[in-house]
Amino acid sequence: MSSATVAPARQLVVALMFAGTALIWGSSFLFMKVALEGVSFGQIAWSRAVLGAIVLGLVVLFGRHVLPREPIVWLHFLVIGVTNCTIPHLLFAWAEQHVSSSLASIYNSFTPIATAILVALVYRVEKLSAQQFVGVVVGIAGAVVIIAPWGVEALTGDLWGQLACLGAAVSYGVAIGYTRTFIANRPISGTSVAFMNIGMAALVMLVLTPFVALGPVDLSLPVAGSLLLLGGLGTGLAYIWSIGVMRAWGATASSTVTYLMPVVGIALGVGLLGETLTWNQPLGAVLVLGGILLAQNRLQRRRVRPADVVAAPSVD
């Protein structure tokens, strides 16, 4: 078979993996909302970490991927697993007891803004240009518009739920900056990075089992299906797809999945769960996405750095 025939077929596969990743990650907010009907928020976070680690572990085993041997690297991945999975997964699952899945998906898109702030001010691995600074300001303004402080009269569950979503996005930013600083320049395959990330999070969750996973369970078919899809696909297989897309398209193009996730999340929340959005929420989402375009220099062409390929944006 000629290369001219193989290339278009390969591009189609990559495009399908990209669409599948956007659909699965965007659906994760719906899965959490449905799963809350039968299990606790802690059991959701526990299940997705453990199931995701099993799926990725099988990929590593059968693909014969090499894991890092240095103890310090394992310690780095412990930090990444906690900040990229344990904390945000717990926060998002808890938050969806108080906010809609649509709103949670919008807050997830704040991750690149939080990342831009942290890598510049905390990790100091990048400097913000004037355009990026404007993007950060616009993104923060978008988050404020979504929260709508002018309508907050008390510290209600809705407000705490929104702050938990925002905290989850910031935690993702912490993980991305940490990965760029301590992991990006090490010769570790993308699949091994994904497994170490989810695997260490699963280890932490196993240790926390008495505190987060014990309790009554009502495993109806929708609840069980949501947990399996959330863990096996969202925290497992989708990571492998995202790595395949990154290798084919590069980090800049592949990370545009960030823009599609809130679209999928909102469509599913409104279409399947009958959720509604107030006028400020989609407006704030547009501001956040506009801030991402500026903060990531998407309005001008740039070279992709090796660090970007390893440390692609984390998403729920």
Side-chain angles (χ1 to χ4, degrees), residues 43-131:
Q43 290 167 337
I44 291 174
W46 187 94
S47 298
R48 68 183 302 184
V50 173
L51 291 174
I54 292 173
V55 171
L56 290 172
L58 291 174
V59 173
V60 168
L61 177 62
F62 290 107
R64 297 183 178 180
H65 295 276
V66 178
L67 298 180
R69 296 182 178 181
E70 301 91 338
I72 187 62
V73 176
W74 284 71
L75 182 60
H76 287 323
F77 274 112
L78 176 61
V79 175
I80 294 169
V82 169
T83 55
N84 194 55
C85 296
T86 305
I87 293 176
H89 290 177
L90 283 169
L91 286 176
F92 268 125
W94 180 87
E96 288 205 32
Q97 297 175 117
H98 305 284
V99 302
S100 68
S101 64
S102 303
L103 187 55
S105 69
I106 292 175
Y107 273 111
N108 185 76
S109 64
F110 188 77
T111 297
I113 300 297
T115 301
I117 297 172
L118 290 165
V119 297
L121 300 182
V122 178
Y123 296 104
R124 298 183 181 275
V125 295
E126 295 180 7
K127 292 184 179 180
L128 289 178
S129 65
Q131 175 181 300

Side-chain angles (χ1 to χ4, degrees), residues 260-278:
L260 298 179
M261 287 174 56
V263 176
V264 174
I266 292 171
L268 292 176
V270 172
L272 298 182
L273 300 180
E275 298 174 347
T276 58
L277 295 174
T278 57

Side-chain angles (χ1 to χ4, degrees), residues 31-47 93 97 212-220 223-224 226-227 230:
F31 297 149
M32 283 187 281
K33 180 65 77 172
V34 173
L36 281 170
E37 297 177 1
V39 297
S40 69
F41 76 92
Q43 290 167 337
I44 291 174
W46 187 94
S47 298
Q97 297 175 117
V212 300
L214 299 183
V217 173
D218 182 13
L219 286 181
S220 63
V223 170
S226 294
L227 291 175
L230 187 61

Side-chain angles (χ1 to χ4, degrees), residues 136-167:
V136 168
V137 173
V138 171
I140 292 175
V144 173
V145 170
I146 297 170
I147 294 174
W150 56 84
V152 175
E153 299 178 355
L155 297 178
T156 62
D158 177 80
L159 174 61
W160 285 113
Q162 293 190 64
L163 293 178
C165 290
L166 198 58

Side-chain angles (χ1 to χ4, degrees), residues 175-257:
I176 294 171
Y178 194 94
T179 302
R180 287 180 177 176
T181 304
F182 298 104
I183 299 298
N185 295 323
R186 298 179 182 272
I188 307 174
S189 71
T191 300
S192 296
V193 168
F195 172 70
M196 291 294 295
N197 175 5
I198 307 302
M200 295 304 284
L203 181 61
V204 170
M205 280 301 188
L206 289 174
V207 173
L208 295 178
T209 296
F211 307 100
V212 300
L214 299 183
V217 173
D218 182 13
L219 286 181
S220 63
L221 184 59
V223 170
S226 294
L227 291 175
L228 289 173
L229 291 171
L230 187 61
L233 290 183
T235 312
L237 185 60
Y239 272 88
I240 302 300
W241 289 351
S242 69
I243 291 168
V245 176
M246 253 195 301
R247 288 173 173 169
W249 290 357
T252 300
S254 64
S255 63
T256 55
V257 69

